[in-house]
């Protein structure tokens, strides 16, 4: 009864010009949390055969798939803010997990509504402020719960206090049910709809619905080679430390490498059925322990993905049965990628491919030819402009992104299209021990600059540069930054990085103490290298003292 009343409230919105649903396409934007492209079988990665995703793959078969879609900051709230505003995080202000987009600034909802669309936001929101610019919303509080989830809705009480709950349901099922209910009873079919349908899954820790517990139970999940092998040329002093002294302390691990946080430490208690009975890592070798943790991680993750794919089958079936499937621009993506054991890393945040790349698939048979695999570089700041373009809505001057609708419709990249994606991770050493860094990704190379400090220029880790040849080294195993034969390329890409920062407006004024460190190590001469070594030694001493004192959750992203 309460759910139905919420839908009635959703219909009581400010009057907008009526646009017949037949005149413009509906726009359905589906986003899962931490769903890496290489965990979708249409991307033909190592998991494609053992864990197929047929419903998501359908979008690629009947539409288009982008192989070079990238987030500008691989962390939940900032990525969502980029999509919603069409702006980079230093402009929209959502630098980290405290990010929000306040009512009046929720550009996509505002512009779609102005164009005559009925707007809805269902599922994971994770932007703190109320999604008040949507006609209807029903969103998880923060991360939300996997089981028996509660949702925030409009009501008589202040934002955040009006809740409905789905006892006994998994969040993926509940979110799909909510969307189907809205499409059946809440959508005014005299208008086209703009619907943001966001899953919590497969964010860690990965609690799948009980019906998937047997899925992949007897399968050994294919492993990335880099889980086991670290080429001597991989990384830099920024990620390894002087003489590799920081290898245990930079980047949280699958196995026991990182003593502060690893899946070997966390998962046996959370998911004991994924490990041998009475599991004690002391009874096994490092290799065996890593393999146990990796398989537990991947199986729980892929079970959550299976739940998403099955639920999308339900959603697509409803659209087909109601005659709306071909009249709807359907987009599927994740809010960023995710490390699935590559380099023995967990989580995201890195600029490495598996974390920076987003899946992006589009189906709209009226305009998007089927079966396309497109390699144009697109960023999540471009998504909003593209959806507005398909809707015939106005793209405001505040939007930094650019519509790639013409690429989808013609398969051809405009001559003036961007040739690099910009990346910046600001939340230095928070939660998963990732240093602050920035860089550019072209179609052939990636330049990463770890400046190694927080917003205040503090909690320093050693600065360093990395260059990867993505054509000859797609798994990013060999850092070429000091290779004499690549000196010209390094200089060119550094210039392009500086120019890209200017183009997107990241001028360092937001956090000047941080920018001082950025500039200090930009040239990276011998004095800079020597200072980086000293910072490495000092940081190791600091980290060891923290561990000795039992301080495992230090606030690293601000202060000294």
């Amino acid at each position: 009864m309460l759910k139905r009343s919420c839908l009635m409230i959703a219909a009581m919105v400010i009057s907008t010009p009526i646009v017949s649903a037949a005149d413009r396409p509906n726009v359905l934007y589906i986003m899962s949390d931490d769903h890496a492209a290489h965990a979708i079988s249409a991307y033909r990665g190592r998991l494609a055969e053992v864990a197929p995703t047929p419903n998501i793959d359908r979008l690629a078969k009947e539409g288009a798939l982008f192989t070079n879609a990238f987030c500008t900051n691989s962390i939940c709230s900032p990525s969502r803010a980029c999509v919603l505003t069409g702006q980079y995080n230093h402009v929209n202000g959502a630098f980290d997990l405290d990010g929000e987009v306040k009512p009046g600034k929720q550009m996509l909802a505002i512009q779609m509504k102005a164009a005559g669309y009925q707007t809805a936001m269902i599922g994971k929101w994770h932007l703190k402020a109320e999604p008040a610019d949507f006609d209807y919303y029903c969103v998880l509080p923060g991360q939300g719960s996997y089981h028996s989830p509660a949702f925030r809705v409009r009501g008589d009480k202040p934002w955040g206090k009006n809740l409905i709950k789905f006892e006994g349901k998994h969040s993926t099922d509940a979110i799909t049910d909510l969307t189907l209910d809205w499409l059946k009873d809440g959508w005014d079919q005299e208008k086209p709809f703009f619907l943001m349908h966001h899953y919590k899954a497969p964010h860690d820790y990965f609690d799948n619905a009980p019906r998937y517990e047997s899925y992949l139970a007897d399968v050994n999940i294919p492993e990335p080679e880099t889980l086991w092998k670290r080429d001597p040329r991989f990384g830099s002093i920024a990620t390894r430390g002087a003489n590799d002294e920081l290898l245990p302390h930079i980047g949280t691990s699958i196995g026991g490498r990182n003593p502060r946080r690893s899946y070997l430490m966390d998962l046996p208690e959370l998911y004991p059925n994924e490990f041998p009975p009475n599991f004690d890592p002391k009874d096994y070798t490092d290799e065996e322990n890593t393999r146990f943790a990796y398989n537990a991680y991947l199986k729980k993750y892929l079970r959550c993905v299976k739940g998403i794919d099955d639920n999308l089958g339900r959603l697509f079936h409803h659209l087909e049965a109601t005659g709306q499937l071909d009249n709807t621009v359907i987009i599927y993506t994740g809010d960023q990628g995710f490390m699935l054991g590559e380099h023995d890393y967990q989580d995201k945040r890195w600029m490495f491919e598996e974390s920076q790349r987003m899946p992006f698939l589009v189906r709209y048979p009226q305009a998007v030819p089927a079966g396309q695999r497109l390699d144009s570089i697109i960023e999540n700041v471009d998504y909003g402009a593209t959806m507005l373009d398909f809707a015939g809505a106005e793209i405001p001057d505040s939007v930094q992104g650019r519509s790639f609708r013409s690429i989808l419709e013609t398969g051809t990249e405009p001559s003036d299209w961007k040739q690099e994606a910009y990346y910046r991770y600001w939340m230095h050493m928070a939660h998963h021990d990732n240093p602050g860094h920035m860089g550019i990704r072209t179609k052939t190379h990636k330049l990463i600059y770890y400046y190694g400090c927080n917003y205040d220029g503090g909690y320093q880790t050693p600065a360093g540069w990395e260059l990867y040849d993505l054509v000859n080294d797609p798994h990013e195993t060999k850092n070429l930054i000091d290779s004499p034969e690549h000196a010209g390329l390094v200089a060119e890409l550094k210039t392009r990085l500086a120019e890209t920062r200017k183009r997107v407006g990241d001028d360092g004024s937001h956090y000047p103490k941080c920018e001082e460190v950025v500039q200090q190590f930009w040239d990276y001469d011998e004095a800079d290298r020597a200072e980086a070594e000293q910072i490495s030694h000092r940081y190791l001493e600091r980290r060891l003292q923290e561990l000795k004192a039992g301080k495992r959750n230090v606030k690293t992203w601000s202060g000294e």
Side-chain angles (χ1 to χ4, degrees), residues 447-448 465-467 479-483 486-487 490 494 529:
L447 181 71
I448 310 174
W465 290 81
E466 298 178 13
L467 169 67
N479 178 14
L480 304 175
I481 201 72
D482 290 325
S483 166
H486 292 91
V490 170
K494 276 193 175 184
R529 292 170 186 264

Side-chain angles (χ1 to χ4, degrees), residues 377-391:
I377 290 175
I378 61 173
E379 299 172 287
N380 53 0
V381 294
D382 302 318
Y383 297 176
T386 303
M387 289 186 271
L388 292 174
D389 197 2
F390 272 109

Side-chain angles (χ1 to χ4, degrees), residues 230-512:
R230 224 180 251 265
D231 191 284
R233 289 168 289 178
F234 169 68
S236 62
I237 191 174
T239 53
R240 302 175 71 120
N243 301 315
D244 287 352
E245 67 183 355
L246 297 182
L247 275 177
H249 307 292
I250 302 291
T252 48
S253 62
I254 309 303
R257 173 180 53 80
N258 190 312
R260 190 189 71 82
R261 185 172 181 184
S262 72
Y263 276 144
L264 180 61
M265 188 187 307
D266 298 342
L267 298 188
E269 183 177 351
L270 289 167
Y271 310 120
N273 291 339
E274 303 302 323
F275 292 83
N278 302 311
F279 176 72
D280 186 339
K282 295 176 184 176
D283 297 336
Y284 300 91
T285 66
D286 288 345
E287 181 177 333
E288 288 173 322
N289 282 325
T290 297
R291 185 161 280 122
F292 285 140
Y294 171 80
N295 274 275
Y297 170 20
L298 267 291
K299 287 177 183 180
K300 297 299 288 183
Y301 180 92
L302 293 172
R303 288 168 189 158
C304 286
V305 170
K306 171 70 169 167
I308 290 169
D309 196 74
D310 287 350
N311 271 282
L312 289 181
R314 295 172 59 207
L315 180 53
F316 297 163
H317 174 75
H318 173 79
L319 292 173
E320 204 158 19
T322 56
Q324 294 298 326
L325 186 70
D326 290 349
N327 190 44
T328 303
V329 177
I330 303 175
I331 293 169
Y332 184 83
T333 186
D335 54 356
Q336 59 260 323
F338 211 64
M339 307 299 295
L340 299 179
E342 296 80 14
H343 309 296
D344 188 36
Y345 290 145
Q346 55 163 287
D347 200 66
K348 57 264 185 181
R349 302 168 190 251
W350 293 108
M351 196 182 165
F352 294 122
E353 286 292 277
E354 296 84 5
S355 169
Q356 184 188 15
R357 174 179 284 119
M358 307 171 77
F360 198 89
L361 306 93
V362 184
R363 183 191 187 277
Y364 182 48
Q366 295 189 32
V368 178
Q372 297 183 89
R373 295 181 73 89
L374 303 167
D375 72 347
S376 297
I377 290 175
I378 61 173
E379 299 172 287
N380 53 0
V381 294
D382 302 318
Y383 297 176
T386 303
M387 289 186 271
L388 292 174
D389 197 2
F390 272 109
E394 181 181 353
I395 302 172
D397 292 339
S398 63
V399 171
Q400 293 180 285
R402 179 179 173 185
S403 170
F404 48 87
R405 175 182 174 181
S406 69
I407 299 175
L408 281 164
E409 293 181 340
T410 67
T412 302
E413 184 179 303
S415 59
D416 61 346
W417 192 255
K418 72 179 85 176
Q419 295 302 304
E420 54 276 308
Y422 183 61
Y423 185 87
R424 184 160 188 183
Y425 173 70
W426 300 78
M427 208 174 183
H428 176 67
M429 295 300 286
H431 309 135
H432 288 276
D433 297 342
N434 307 72
H437 58 288
M438 64 176 68
I440 54 171
R441 204 279 194 193
T442 73
K443 287 184 179 180
T444 58
H445 291 85
K446 182 178 293 181
L447 181 71
I448 310 174
Y449 174 29
Y450 295 94
Y451 51 88
C453 73
N454 62 26
Y455 296 126
D456 301 316
Y459 203 84
Q460 281 188 268
T461 57
W465 290 81
E466 298 178 13
L467 169 67
Y468 295 100
D469 179 344
L470 301 172
V471 176
N472 297 304
D473 181 25
H475 299 299
E476 300 166 304
T477 65
K478 302 175 183 68
N479 178 14
L480 304 175
I481 201 72
D482 290 325
S483 166
E485 62 186 284
H486 292 91
L489 178 61
V490 170
E492 175 196 336
L493 290 176
K494 276 193 175 184
T495 298
R496 288 173 69 177
L497 173 56
E499 291 172 346
T500 301
R501 291 191 74 200
K502 290 181 181 178
R503 173 174 62 82
V504 304
D506 184 8
D507 61 5
S509 63
H510 315 87
Y511 295 102

Side-chain angles (χ1 to χ4, degrees), residues 167-186:
E167 291 288 352
K169 282 196 176 183
H170 189 269
S171 71
T172 304
D173 300 332
I175 290 164
T176 307
D177 288 346
L178 281 163
T179 284
L180 290 173
D181 284 345
W182 185 82
L183 288 171
K184 293 172 185 175
D185 301 323

